[in-house]
C-alpha cells in the first residue's frame, strides 16, 4: 500500500481511538498546572505567570503524555497479536514511519486545540499587556515542540527494546533527567526549558530564540536516534542486530541518522546564546592587567548599529592614544564573546590583533599592537550576536535586541579598554547609536542623548557624551513623563504597552508624592546628579540598581498583580508608592538579604504607611495598614508550623520552602513595620523617628559592609530587641 493512503487510514484510526482523545484532553487541561502547581517562571510579570507557566506546564505534561500514547500505539499490533499479519501486508519500516507521522499530526492538532482553548483564558488573565504574537510563540515553542520530542523519545525506546515496560522506564528516566539533573542546564532540559521570565512591556525574542535553539537541537538529536531505532525494527524474523544489518544495506538510511546526530552535536557545541565565561566568579584576571607605561587614552568614540530584526549589533569604535614610550605597545580590550572583530587599524593601517579563547564576566580579551607613534588613532570594527554570561544562563533574556527594547552594557556596546590610563583622569566619550524611529535612547547615568539625524529608512541616530571605559545604554519604545518633586527634576520612562496600567496606578502622582516626602524626611538620593534623576523601567531583570543621575525600575514591580498586592498597599496607587520608596530604602540604603526579617521591606512599608497617613487620614491608614499588619502577625503566631517547627523540618524541601517563604513575607511586611511603629512610640513620636531615619539614611557607610543593619536601627533608637517585642 502506498504511503499517503496508508497515512490517511492510520491517522483516521488514531483519531477514532478513545486513548488518543483521553491523551489530548489531558494535554489540553495540563496548562492548568502552570496556574496552580508547576510554576518554573518565577518572575512576577503577567506573561510569566499567565502565559509562560501554563505553556511550560502544558509542554512538560504533553511531552510525557504523547510519549505514553506513542508506546501504546506502537505496541497495539503486538498486543492484539496481529503483528505478523500487519508485517506481511505492509513493510514494518513503512508502517513505523506512517505511525510516527500520524502521531505527530495528532500532536499538532492537539496543540492547535490547546491554543484555541487557552486564548480567551490567557487574554483575560493577562489583560492590557496581552500580545497575540507572543502568545503564539510561547505555546508553539514552550508547549508545541515538547510533544514531538516526547513522541520521538518514546518511539525510539520502543523500537529498540520492543517492550512496553522498558520503553516506559526509559521515557520516565529521560523525562526525569530533564526535570531534575538537567533542569539548570538550558541546553539539556528538553522537556522544561529554562524560562524564568517573560516581559510584559517589551519583546521576548531573545528567550524565544534560546528555547527554539534548544528544542531544534534536541529535535535533530532525537530524530537521528529515531532513525537508528527505525533501522532496528524487527523484520523477516530476525533480531535487533540482524534487522539492523539488513536495513543499513541502503546506505542513505544510516547516513541520514548520522547526519542528524552530527547536526545536533554541532548545534549543541556551537550555540550562539551563551558564552564560556569562567564559572569561578572570584577570578577577575582581566582587572589585574598592569597599565601600560607611557600610554594614555585621551578620548574614545563609537558608532553603534543594532539590527533589531536579527538581534545583532555592529559597530565602529575609535580610541585616541598618546604613546610617549617610543615603542610598540599591546592594548587590551574586553569584547562581548558573541562579537567578531573584523579589523583593527592604527592611523589608517591594519595592525595585528587577536581575541583570546578565555572569557570571564561575559567578556573576551582583544589584544591589539599599536605602533611606536606618539599619537595613535585606533579603530576597531566589530559585530555579531551578543552572548549572555553562562553563569546566569538559566536567566537569559537580558541581551534582548528588538525594535521595542535593547540594553547594551559595557563590552556589548563597544570594546572596553582594560590596560590604559586616562589622560588627566578623564575618558571623554562620544557614543552614536542608530535606532528605529519608535525607540528612545537613554544612557544610564547623567548623560543626555539627543536625536541628531533622521534617516530616510525611518531610523534616527542619537548621540551623547559620557566619561569612562564602558557604559550602559537603554533604548526602547518608551513614554517619558517629566516630574518636579522634592527639588529634583525627575524623568520617568516606562514602556508604551504599560501606559494603561501606569496611568491607572497614578504613576506620576506617586513619583511626585514619594520624592517630595522622602527628600523632606530622609534627605536627597545620593545618586541624583545635579538635581536631576532618570527613573527607567527596564525589561524584567530580577531587581534594580542605581548610578549617578539614573535609577532602574524593574518592570515586575509594576505589573497589575503586584500593584494589587494588599501587602504593599491598599490600592494600586499605594503599591506604586511602596515600590518607589525602595529608591530610598533598598537602593539609597542597602540591606543584607541574609538578615532575616530586617530588610528594606520593613522601612518601605512603614514609610508607605506614613505617606498614606499624610495623604488621607489617620483612620484610613490605621484600618488599611496597622490593623492589617496586626491581623497577619496574629495569624502568624497561631500558624501550626510556627508553633511546631519540627513538623516543618519534616516536610519535603519544596513544600518547606513554600511555607517558609510565606511566613517570611509576614515577618518582613507586617511584623517589622509593627516593630518600627512601636519604636516610633518609644522614641517620642513621628518627628523623633524621622530624625533617626534621616541620620541613618545619611550615615557614613562602611565600604566593606555598606548595609543598614537591625542593630544600627536599634542603637540609633536607643532600644533593644526586647523593647520591640510584640508579645
Amino acid at each position: 500500500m502506498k504511503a499517503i493512503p496508508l497515512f490517511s487510514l492510520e491517522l483516521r484510526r488514531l483519531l477514532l481511538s478513545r486513548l488518543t482523545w483521553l491523551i489530548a484532553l489531558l494535554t489540553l487541561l495540563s496548562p492548568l498546572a502552570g496556574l496552580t502547581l508547576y510554576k518554573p517562571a518565577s518572575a512576577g510579570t503577567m506573561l510569566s505567570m499567565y502565559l509562560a507557566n501554563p505553556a511550560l506546564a502544558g509542554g512538560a505534561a504533553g511531552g510525557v503524555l504523547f510519549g505514553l500514547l506513542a508506546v501504546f500505539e506502537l505496541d497495539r499490533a503486538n498486543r492484539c497479536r496481529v503483528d505478523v499479519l500487519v508485517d506481511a501486508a505492509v513493510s514494518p519500516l513503512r508502517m513505523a514511519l506512517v505511525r510516527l507521522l500520524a502521531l505527530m499530526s495528532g500532536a499538532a492538532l492537539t496543540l492547535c486545540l490547546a491554543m484555541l482553548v487557552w486564548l480567551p483564558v490567557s487574554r483575560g488573565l493577562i489583560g492590557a499587556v496581552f500580545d497575540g504574537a507572543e502568545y503564539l510563540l510561547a505555546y508553539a515553542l514552550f508547549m508545541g515542540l515538547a510533544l514531538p520530542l516526547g513522541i520521538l523519545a518514546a518511539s525510539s525506546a520502543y523500537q529498540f527494546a520492543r517492550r512496553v515496560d522498558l520503553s516506559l522506564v526509559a521515557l520516565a528516566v529521560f523525562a526525569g533527567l530533564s526535570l531534575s539533573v538537567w533542569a539548570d542546564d538550558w541546553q539539556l532540559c528538553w522537556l522544561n526549558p529554562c524560562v524564568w521570565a517573560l516581559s510584559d512591556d517589551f519583546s521576548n525574542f531573545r528567550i524565544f530564540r534560546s528555547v527554539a535553539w534548544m528544542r531544534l537541537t534536541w529535535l535533530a538529536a532525537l530524530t537521528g536516534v529515531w532513525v537508528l531505532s527505525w533501522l532496528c525494527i524487527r523484520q523477516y524474523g530476525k533480531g535487533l542486530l540482524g534487522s539492523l544489518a539488513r536495513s543499513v544495506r541502503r546506505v542513505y538510511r544510516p547516513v541520514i541518522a548520522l547526519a542528524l546526530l552530527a547536526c545536533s552535536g554541532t548545534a549543541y557545541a556551537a550555540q550562539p546564546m551563551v558564552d564560556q565565561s569562567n564559572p569561578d566568579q572570584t577570578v577577575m584576571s582581566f582587572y589585574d592587567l598592569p597599565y601600560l607605561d607611557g600610554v594614555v587614552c585621551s578620548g574614545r568614540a563609537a558608532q553603534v548599529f543594532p539590527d533589531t530584526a536579527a538581534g545583532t549589533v555592529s559597530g565602529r569604535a575609535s580610541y585616541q592614544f598618546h604613546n610617549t614610550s617610543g615603542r610598540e605597545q599591546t592594548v587590551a580590550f574586553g569584547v562581548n564573546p558573541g562579537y567578531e572583530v573584523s579589523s583593527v587599524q592604527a592611523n589608517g593601517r591594519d595592525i595585528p590583533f587577536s581575541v583570546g579563547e578565555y572569557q570571564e564576566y561575559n567578556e573576551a580579551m582583544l589584544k591589539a599592537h599599536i605602533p611606536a607613534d606618539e599619537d595613535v588613532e585606533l579603530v576597531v570594527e566589530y559585530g555579531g550576536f551578543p552572548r549572555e554570561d553562562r553563569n546566569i544562563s538559566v536567566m537569559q533574556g537580558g541581551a534582548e535586541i528588538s525594535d521595542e527594547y535593547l540594553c547594551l552594557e559595557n563590552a556589548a556596546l563597544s570594546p572596553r579598554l582594560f590596560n590604559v590610563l586616562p589622560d588627566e583622569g578623564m575618558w571623554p566619550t562620544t557614543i552614536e547609536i542608530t535606532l528605529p524611529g519608535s525607540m528612545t535612547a537613554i544612557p544610564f547615568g547623567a548623560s543626555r542623548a539627543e536625536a541628531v539625524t533622521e534617516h530616510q529608512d525611518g531610523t534616527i541616530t542619537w548621540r551623547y557624551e559620557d566619561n569612562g571605559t564602558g557604559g550602559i545604554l537603554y533604548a526602547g519604545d518608551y513614554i517619558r513623563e517629566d516630574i518636579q518633586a522634592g527639588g529634583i527634576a525627575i524623568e520617568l520612562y516606562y514602556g508604551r504597552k504599560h501606559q494603561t496600567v501606569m496611568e491607572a496606578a497614578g504613576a506620576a502622582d506617586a513619583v511626585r508624592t514619594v520624592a517630595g516626602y522622602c527628600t523632606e524626611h530622609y534627605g536627597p538620593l545620593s545618586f541624583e546628579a545635579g538635581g536631576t534623576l532618570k527613573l527607567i523601567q527596564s525589561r524584567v531583570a530580577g531587581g534594580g540598581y542605581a548610578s549617578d543621575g539614573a535609577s532602574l525600575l524593574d518592570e515586575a514591580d509594576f505589573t497589575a498583580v503586584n500593584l494589587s498586592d494588599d501587602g504593599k498597599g491598599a490600592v494600586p496607587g499605594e503599591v506604586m508608592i511602596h515600590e518607589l520608596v525602595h529608591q530610598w530604602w533598598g537602593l539609597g540604603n542597602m540591606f543584607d538579604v541574609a538578615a532575616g526579617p530586617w530588610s528594606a521591606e520593613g522601612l518601605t512599608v512603614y514609610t508607605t504607611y506614613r505617606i498614606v497617613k499624610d495623604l488621607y487620614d489617620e483612620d484610613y491608614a490605621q484600618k488599611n495598614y496597622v490593623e492589617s499588619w496586626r491581623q497577619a502577625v496574629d495569624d502568624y503566631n497561631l500558624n501550626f508550623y510556627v508553633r511546631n517547627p519540627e513538623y516543618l523540618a519534616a516536610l519535603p524541601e519544596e513544600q518547606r520552602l513554600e511555607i517558609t517563604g510565606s511566613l517570611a513575607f509576614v515577618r518582613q511586611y507586617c511584623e517589622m513595620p509593627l516593630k518600627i511603629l512601636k519604636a516610633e512610640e518609644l522614641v517620642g513620636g513621628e518627628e523623633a523617628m524621622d530624625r533617626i531615619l534621616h541620620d541613618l539614611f545619611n550615615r557614613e557607610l562602611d565600604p566593606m559592609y555598606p548595609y543598614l543593619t537591625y542593630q544600627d536601627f536599634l542603637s540609633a533608637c536607643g532600644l533593644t530587641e526586647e523593647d520591640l517585642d510584640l508579645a
Side-chain angles (χ1 to χ4, degrees):
M1 184 178 289
K2 293 184 178 180
I4 294 178
L6 186 60
F7 167 73
S8 300
L9 288 173
E10 179 64 17
L11 179 60
R12 183 171 179 272
R13 186 202 60 75
L14 184 68
L15 295 179
L16 291 174
S17 168
R18 292 181 180 178
L19 178 61
T20 301
W21 287 105
L22 174 62
I23 294 295
L25 178 61
L26 292 175
T27 302
L28 287 174
L29 294 175
S30 60
L32 280 172
L35 298 175
T36 54
L37 302 174
Y38 179 67
K39 301 179 180 180
S42 58
T45 62
M46 306 297 282
L47 264 63
S48 298
M49 294 185 291
Y50 301 127
L51 178 56
N53 281 332
L56 290 167
V64 173
L65 288 169
F66 269 86
L68 295 175
L69 178 64
V71 170
F72 285 107
E73 284 299 320
L74 292 182
D75 190 59
R76 177 184 292 273
N78 185 53
R79 194 167 60 249
C80 297
R81 299 183 180 181
V82 295
D83 50 327
V84 175
L85 294 176
V86 173
D87 291 349
V90 182
S91 163
L93 296 181
R94 176 174 294 183
M95 195 64 214
L97 184 59
V98 166
R99 286 189 181 119
L100 177 68
L101 294 176
L103 286 166
M104 292 292 189
S105 300
L109 178 60
T110 302
L111 174 64
C112 293
L113 290 174
M115 294 171 74
L116 288 173
V117 168
W118 283 94
L119 176 60
V121 178
S122 299
R123 188 181 185 90
L125 291 172
I126 293 169
V129 294
F130 177 84
D131 185 282
E134 295 199 335
Y135 175 84
L136 294 174
L137 283 170
Y139 268 89
L141 294 173
F142 299 169
M143 181 177 179
L145 287 181
L147 309 187
L149 293 180
I151 292 170
L152 287 168
S155 300
S156 300
Y158 182 82
Q159 288 172 171
F160 276 125
R162 199 72 183 271
R163 286 179 54 179
V164 172
D165 53 353
L166 292 180
S167 302
L168 295 180
V169 168
L171 177 63
V173 170
F174 191 43
L177 284 172
S178 179
L179 292 167
S180 56
V181 178
W182 295 342
D184 291 332
D185 189 320
W186 75 275
Q187 288 185 275
L188 294 181
C189 52
W190 66 275
L191 191 60
N192 50 311
C194 290
V195 179
W196 80 280
L198 288 183
S199 171
D200 290 343
D201 302 336
F202 305 105
S203 58
N204 294 287
F205 293 128
R206 179 83 188 197
I207 192 64
F208 288 145
R209 285 186 173 108
S210 174
V211 174
W213 188 277
M214 179 274 289
R215 282 271 161 85
L216 293 175
T217 300
W218 272 110
L219 193 61
L222 290 177
T223 303
V225 172
W226 184 89
V227 173
L228 287 178
S229 71
W230 180 67
L231 297 175
C232 296
I233 290 177
R234 314 308 187 266
Q235 51 185 328
Y236 302 108
K238 299 180 182 294
L240 185 148
L241 294 178
S243 300
L244 175 63
R246 184 172 184 85
S247 297
V248 298
R249 291 179 181 179
R250 297 187 179 182
V251 179
Y252 70 87
R253 292 172 175 174
V255 168
I256 290 174
L258 294 176
L260 286 167
L261 292 173
C263 287
S264 174
T266 302
Y268 180 88
Q271 56 80 21
M273 310 302 298
V274 172
D275 69 9
Q276 298 299 319
S277 288
N278 189 341
D280 184 357
Q281 294 188 292
T282 63
V283 176
M284 304 178 71
S285 60
F286 290 172
Y287 290 88
D288 295 334
L289 292 174
Y291 289 108
L292 297 181
D293 185 29
V295 180
V296 294
C297 177
S298 58
R300 67 185 185 94
Q303 294 81 44
V304 186
F305 304 93
D307 183 338
T308 56
T312 59
V313 173
S314 61
R316 182 178 185 273
S318 61
Y319 304 82
Q320 306 296 326
F321 294 117
H322 189 59
N323 182 7
T324 58
S325 67
R327 64 180 187 276
E328 292 186 356
Q329 298 270 25
T330 301
V331 181
F333 302 86
V335 296
N336 185 280
Y339 291 167
E340 178 182 345
V341 178
S342 55
S343 76
V344 179
Q345 292 186 331
N347 293 334
R349 300 188 302 273
D350 289 335
I351 60 172
F353 67 92
S354 63
V355 179
E357 294 292 328
Y358 175 74
Q359 300 165 16
E360 68 180 35
Y361 284 97
N362 200 215
E363 291 180 333
M365 186 183 294
L366 163 66
K367 291 183 177 180
H369 306 285
I370 63 173
D373 301 358
E374 185 171 350
D375 293 306
V376 178
E377 181 184 33
L378 189 75
V379 178
V380 180
E381 294 186 358
Y382 60 95
F385 190 79
R387 296 191 181 192
E388 299 190 52
D389 194 328
R390 70 182 292 185
N391 295 302
I392 51 172
S393 61
V394 296
M395 297 179 67
Q396 292 182 53
E400 180 77 14
I401 296 176
S402 72
D403 56 6
E404 291 183 8
Y405 180 86
L406 65 79
C407 173
L408 298 175
E409 299 182 346
N410 298 315
L413 182 61
S414 67
R416 188 166 69 91
L417 195 55
F418 279 151
N419 64 339
V420 178
L421 288 169
D423 188 17
E424 299 180 355
M426 300 286 286
W427 280 283
T429 302
T430 301
I431 302 292
E432 291 185 354
I433 185 167
T434 301
L435 300 168
S438 60
M439 300 182 77
T440 301
I442 312 170
F444 192 75
S447 302
R448 293 289 183 274
E450 296 182 355
V452 293
T453 307
E454 294 188 15
H455 305 280
Q456 291 184 348
D457 61 358
T459 60
I460 297 175
T461 296
W462 297 75
R463 178 187 298 150
Y464 65 94
E465 308 292 329
D466 203 355
N467 177 47
T469 60
I472 302 174
L473 174 70
Y474 288 92
D477 187 8
Y478 279 106
I479 288 177
R480 168 178 165 175
E481 293 198 41
D482 294 313
I483 302 164
Q484 291 286 337
I488 311 171
I490 299 173
E491 299 170 11
L492 174 63
Y493 295 90
Y494 55 84
R496 191 172 302 278
K497 282 186 182 178
H498 214 62
Q499 184 175 8
T500 302
V501 175
M502 296 294 267
E503 288 178 351
D509 290 338
V511 170
R512 191 175 294 108
T513 299
V514 170
Y517 180 92
C518 292
T519 301
E520 178 185 350
H521 289 76
Y522 307 140
L525 292 167
S526 60
F527 45 81
E528 64 176 83
T532 63
L533 176 65
K534 288 181 280 189
L535 295 178
I536 307 167
Q537 181 198 28
S538 74
R539 190 182 179 280
V540 58
Y545 55 91
S547 180
D548 288 344
S551 180
L552 202 66
L553 306 175
D554 192 326
E555 71 165 286
D557 293 334
F558 302 99
T559 64
V561 168
N562 190 61
L563 292 175
S564 301
D565 185 350
D566 57 9
K568 299 178 180 180
V571 296
E574 294 168 28
V575 179
M576 177 71 71
I577 289 172
H578 171 102
E579 297 300 346
L580 292 168
V581 170
H582 275 304
Q583 298 296 309
W584 275 260
W585 303 119
L587 289 178
N589 262 240
M590 296 186 294
F591 294 74
D592 191 340
V593 294
W598 175 256
S599 70
E601 299 301 343
L603 282 171
T604 298
V605 172
Y606 169 78
T607 301
T608 304
Y609 153 76
R610 290 283 306 278
I611 293 173
V612 169
K613 185 178 176 182
D614 283 358
L615 285 175
Y616 305 114
D617 56 51
E618 185 171 353
D619 290 342
Y620 178 89
Q622 185 75 17
K623 176 182 177 182
N624 290 284
Y625 287 83
V626 179
E627 291 180 9
S628 175
W629 301 339
R630 285 176 178 156
Q631 182 62 53
V633 171
D634 289 343
D635 292 343
Y636 171 87
N637 291 327
L638 294 174
N639 185 278
F640 174 81
Y641 292 109
V642 172
R643 292 184 289 112
N644 302 277
E646 65 275 11
Y647 289 97
L648 178 62
L651 290 175
E653 182 180 6
E654 186 174 345
Q655 289 179 273
R656 186 170 67 251
L657 290 175
E658 182 178 353
I659 294 171
T660 302
S662 176
L663 297 176
F665 178 91
V666 175
R667 299 201 68 191
Q668 291 179 351
Y669 285 81
C670 302
E671 179 185 301
M672 191 52 64
L674 279 177
K675 289 188 174 184
I676 297 171
L677 191 62
K678 185 173 183 179
E680 173 195 297
E681 297 172 0
L682 294 175
V683 299
E686 292 180 352
E687 291 186 7
M689 178 56 71
D690 286 345
R691 288 193 296 271
I692 290 170
L693 294 180
H694 178 277
D695 292 343
L696 287 173
F697 183 79
N698 295 282
R699 75 195 187 285
E700 185 175 348
L701 298 181
D702 178 358
M704 301 303 295
Y705 192 81
Y707 305 114
L708 177 59
T709 67
Y710 191 37
Q711 188 57 52
D712 292 336
F713 174 75
L714 292 172
S715 299
C717 294
L719 301 171
T720 65
E721 290 191 37
E722 291 74 18
D723 293 331
L724 299 185
D725 191 349
L726 299 177

